[in-house]
């Protein structure tokens, strides 16, 4: 777990690193430890000592971009998915501190993750802080600090790791882009519904019910009762 990830050979300058990370704001790129030398131990210590969530990318700690509203939406979605899982018992759902090693040297932390029991060793929730695991559904709630290139890289990495579905939710634009493959996606407007498909069968959630500050989504609850 503590072995450093060697930076790819095409990274010769800080500008190369910045471009490879998707042109993200520089204040999200940590320089202690030095880029190219960070390990999973550093990821854990950043969270434990400084209460900062960082992903491990190319041997570099990259702080997650997340504001208050994004955290609220992620927590709301975790609540709704967990309510669904209480009736279906298909797996587990974790929030924005659920670290996962989705590939050697690559730690990602989706804002919301759903993992089926079959993907979990022994069909139990992992005990280690960073399990080697890829979710069935990965959800990212976009913040100002996210860039298009960064999210394109994340989507590609998720599918390479075995993720089945990715949701990119944009609170400002009130849209959600649903990916079923890297190349295939659908853009949903606020009056349209997120559908769990084969990953979360029977889960239907109108996007506005998630984005707005009203009561829990009735659309999803009706669908779940039919699933039972």
């Amino acid at each position: 777990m503590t072995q450093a990830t060697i930076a790819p050979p095409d990274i010769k300058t800080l500008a190369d690193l910045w471009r490879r990370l998707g042109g993200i704001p520089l204040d999200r790129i940590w320089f202690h430890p030095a880029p190219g030398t960070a390990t999973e131990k550093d990821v854990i210590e950043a969270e434990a000592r400084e209460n900062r969530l960082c992903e491990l990318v190319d041997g570099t700690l990259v702080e997650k971009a997340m504001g208050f509203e994004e955290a609220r939406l992620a927590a709301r979605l975790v609540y709704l998915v967990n309510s669904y899982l209480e009736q279906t018992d298909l797996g587990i759902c974790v929030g924005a501190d659920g670290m996962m090693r989705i590939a050697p040297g690559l730690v990602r932390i989706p804002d919301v993750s759903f993992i089926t029991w079959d993907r979990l060793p022994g069909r139990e929730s992992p005990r280690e802080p960073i399990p080697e695991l890829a979710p069935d559904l990965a959800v990212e709630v976009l913040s100002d600090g996210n860039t298009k290139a960064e999210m394109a890289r994340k989507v590609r990495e998720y599918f390479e790791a075995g993720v089945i579905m990715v949701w990119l939710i944009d609170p400002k634009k009130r849209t959600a882009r649903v990916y079923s493959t890297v190349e295939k996606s659908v853009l949903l407007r606020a009056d349209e519904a997120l559908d769990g498909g084969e990953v979360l069968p029977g889960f239907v959630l109108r996007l506005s019910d998630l984005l707005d500050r009203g009561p829990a989504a009735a659309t999803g609850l009706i669908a779940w009762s039919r699933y039972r």
Side-chain angles (χ1 to χ4, degrees), residues 66-81 93-96 111-112 139-143 167-176 194 203 205-214:
M66 199 165 191
F68 185 89
E69 178 65 4
E70 293 80 31
R72 183 189 75 83
L73 293 176
R76 182 173 174 80
L77 185 55
V78 168
Y79 166 77
L80 292 169
V81 173
C93 179
V94 297
D111 295 318
V112 181
V139 182
E140 297 281 355
V141 182
L142 302 185
S143 302
W167 295 349
L168 299 186
I169 298 174
D170 191 330
K172 284 195 171 181
K173 294 183 178 179
R174 294 180 62 81
T175 62
L194 291 162
F203 181 90
L205 174 63
R206 190 169 57 189
L207 186 57
S208 61
D209 288 334
L210 173 66
L211 297 173
D212 296 339
R213 293 176 173 82

Side-chain angles (χ1 to χ4, degrees), residues 87-159:
Q87 301 180 50
T88 61
D89 194 27
L90 296 178
I92 62 174
C93 179
V94 297
D97 49 0
M99 307 173 185
M100 284 173 275
R101 183 189 315 114
I102 66 171
L106 179 60
V107 175
R108 289 298 190 186
I109 316 173
D111 295 318
V112 181
S113 300
F114 164 69
I115 310 107
T116 56
W117 290 121
D118 290 341
R119 288 198 181 210
L120 297 167
R123 298 175 66 86
E124 295 182 352
S125 181
R127 301 292 183 182
E128 60 266 45
I130 307 179
E132 184 174 351
L133 192 64
D136 294 77
L137 169 67
V139 182
E140 297 281 355
V141 182
L142 302 185
S143 302
D144 290 339
N146 292 127
T147 66
K148 185 176 180 179
E150 176 194 19
M151 302 317 296
R153 173 174 176 170
K154 277 193 175 187
V155 169
R156 184 185 73 250
E157 291 172 346
Y158 284 144
F159 281 106

Side-chain angles (χ1 to χ4, degrees), residues 26-80:
L26 294 178
D27 59 5
R28 293 181 53 207
I29 304 173
W30 284 34
F31 275 68
H32 298 285
T37 69
T39 68
E40 290 184 13
K41 181 175 180 289
D42 298 310
V43 174
I44 295 169
E45 289 182 351
E47 193 277 333
R49 295 182 181 179
E50 302 191 41
N51 196 28
R52 310 279 282 275
L53 288 174
C54 293
E55 297 178 312
L56 179 62
V57 188
D58 295 333
T60 302
L61 292 186
V62 178
E63 188 165 353
K64 275 186 66 67
M66 199 165 191
F68 185 89
E69 178 65 4
E70 293 80 31
R72 183 189 75 83
L73 293 176
R76 182 173 174 80
L77 185 55
V78 168
Y79 166 77
L80 292 169

